[in-house]
């Protein structure tokens, strides 16, 4: 029976692909106020600003490729049952070949109607459209006549896939955390659902704030840290 690995990733796993992180020096939140471009209040205050921010994110995404860390995570599927649970809204895990990716904070390439959003309606695929690296502008409407919005979990909104993520982490035999500052809840608390004695590996060049006896910290960038992690398996 193959062992299960839950891989929790953040912006750091995509840093070496050329996508910015959020909170490192020069990160995205140094140039943009998340409360203006990535919050539900920001959306109602100025939809155009939010639409432009994600149009820019999609444009950047079309210019980058998965890096060695994404590929090594995908290759784990040869020997393990791998659940990637990512805070990232990019599609690099999928493009590297990962087949089970849960996007806790949504997906940049997808849009949905801004109203009639509820668990069933908003998250059922019938209401979510993949526009790839295209743009959405004010006045672009969904079939139900309402404005199209990014299929992103804005600050101030619930994280509908959290229960699914908790279930996957609680069943894991190994938990691997790559490239997240663990500052945004509830995603940041996910590792705590790992079972008794389950090893928690963290790959991050920075100091980590978790002081848990189960933690092994590989203090390297994702592409190097993944090679070390695989050797240690
Ligand atoms: N390899 C591995 N880790 C890296 C690398 C790298 N090359 N470069 C940076 N890191 C690490 C940083 O040390 C930091 O711990 O990646 C982490 C990036 O942290 P953040 O920028 O806060 O990104 P993240 O944790 O994904 O943010 C979580 O915040 O704004 C919201 O919704 C947004 O999903 C995002 C969430």
């Amino acid at each position: 029976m193959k062992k299960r690995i839950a891989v929790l990733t953040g912006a750091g796993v995509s840093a070496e692909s050329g996508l910015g992180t959020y909170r490192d020096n020069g990160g995205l939140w140094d140039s943009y106020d998340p409360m203006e471009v990535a919050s539900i209040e920001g959306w109602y205050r100025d939809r155009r600003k939010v639409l432009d921010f994600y149009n820019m994110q999609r444009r950047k995404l079309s210019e980058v490729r998965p890096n060695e860390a994404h590929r090594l995570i995908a290759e784990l599927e040869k020997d393990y049952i791998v659940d990637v649970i990512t805070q990232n809204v990019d599609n690099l895990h999928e493009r590297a070949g990962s087949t089970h990716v849960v996007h806790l904070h949504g997906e940049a390439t997808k849009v949905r109607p801004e109203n009639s959003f509820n668990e069933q309606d908003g998250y059922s695929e019938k209401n979510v459209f993949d526009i790839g690296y295209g743009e959405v502008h004010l006045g672009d409407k969904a079939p139900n006549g309402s404005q199209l919005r990014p299929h992103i979990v804005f600050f101030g909104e619930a994280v509908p896939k959290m229960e699914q993520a908790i279930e996957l982490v609680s069943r894991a035999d190994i938990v691997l955390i790559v490239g997240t500052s663990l500052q945004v809840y509830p995603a940041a608390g996910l590792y705590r659902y790992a079972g008794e004695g389950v090893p928690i590996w963290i790959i991050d060049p920075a100091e980590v704030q978790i002081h848990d006896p189960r933690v092994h910290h590989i203090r390297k960038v994702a592409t190097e840290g993944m090679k070390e992690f695989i050797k240690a398996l």
Side-chain angles (χ1 to χ4, degrees):
M1 176 69 175
K2 279 185 178 181
K3 286 195 168 185
R4 304 186 72 100
I5 298 188
V7 186
L8 314 182
T9 67
V13 79
S14 299
E16 291 163 272
S17 292
L19 282 185
T21 59
Y22 293 96
R23 294 174 184 81
D24 288 320
N25 296 336
L28 223 45
W29 297 153
D30 281 353
S31 336
Y32 296 90
D33 175 356
M35 290 307 129
E36 283 186 13
V37 296
S39 78
I40 188 60
E41 294 79 16
W43 171 251
Y44 289 124
R45 203 171 26 251
D46 186 344
R47 288 175 174 73
R48 191 189 311 273
K49 184 180 277 190
V50 176
L51 289 170
D52 288 347
F53 178 72
Y54 285 98
N55 288 340
M56 179 266 291
Q57 296 265 64
R58 267 180 235 105
R59 230 180 347 269
K60 271 193 338 195
L61 191 47
S62 70
E63 294 153 6
V64 299
R65 286 189 309 282
N67 63 56
E68 192 55 13
H70 294 107
R71 266 189 293 282
L72 290 171
I73 288 168
E75 273 168 29
L76 286 173
E77 294 189 14
K78 282 207 291 280
D79 303 315
Y80 295 87
I81 298 171
V82 183
D83 292 300
V84 177
I85 300 163
T86 186
Q87 297 171 78
N88 299 341
V89 296
D90 66 51
N91 58 0
L92 297 179
H93 281 302
E94 290 89 343
R95 286 165 57 190
S98 285
T99 58
H100 189 213
V101 183
V102 175
H103 285 272
L104 286 178
H105 295 163
E107 298 176 68
T109 62
K110 295 185 177 172
V111 294
R112 68 171 195 259
E114 75 163 327
N115 68 18
S116 79
F117 172 63
N118 55 47
E119 277 309 276
Q120 296 63 37
D121 203 12
Y123 266 71
S124 57
E125 284 317 300
K126 72 173 170 44
N127 247 351
V128 176
F129 308 96
D130 194 323
I131 58 166
Y133 307 119
E135 301 201 342
V136 175
H137 298 285
L138 216 49
D140 291 349
K141 306 281 188 194
N144 74 357
S146 73
Q147 170 67 47
L148 282 171
R149 61 160 274 182
H151 184 51
I152 294 286
V153 176
F154 289 144
F155 282 105
E157 292 188 309
V159 180
K161 299 196 173 181
M162 195 58 198
E163 261 170 61
Q164 177 190 4
I166 288 169
E167 167 60 25
L168 294 173
V169 171
S170 60
R171 280 194 290 171
D173 300 300
I174 302 168
V175 171
L176 169 62
I177 300 174
V178 189
T180 171
S181 62
L182 296 168
Q183 287 182 37
V184 174
Y185 285 82
L190 256 182
Y191 74 90
R192 295 202 185 101
Y193 291 91
E196 278 295 301
V198 167
I200 299 172
W201 292 80
I202 300 183
I203 299 174
D204 194 316
E207 187 58 41
V208 292
Q209 310 308 329
I210 302 182
H211 303 291
D212 180 313
R214 299 172 293 178
V215 166
H216 310 255
H217 180 198
I218 300 175
R219 193 159 182 174
K220 290 186 175 155
V221 293
T223 52
E224 292 309 311
M226 276 307 297
K227 291 175 196 146
E228 188 172 322
F229 170 71
I230 288 165
K231 271 201 217 101
L233 278 177

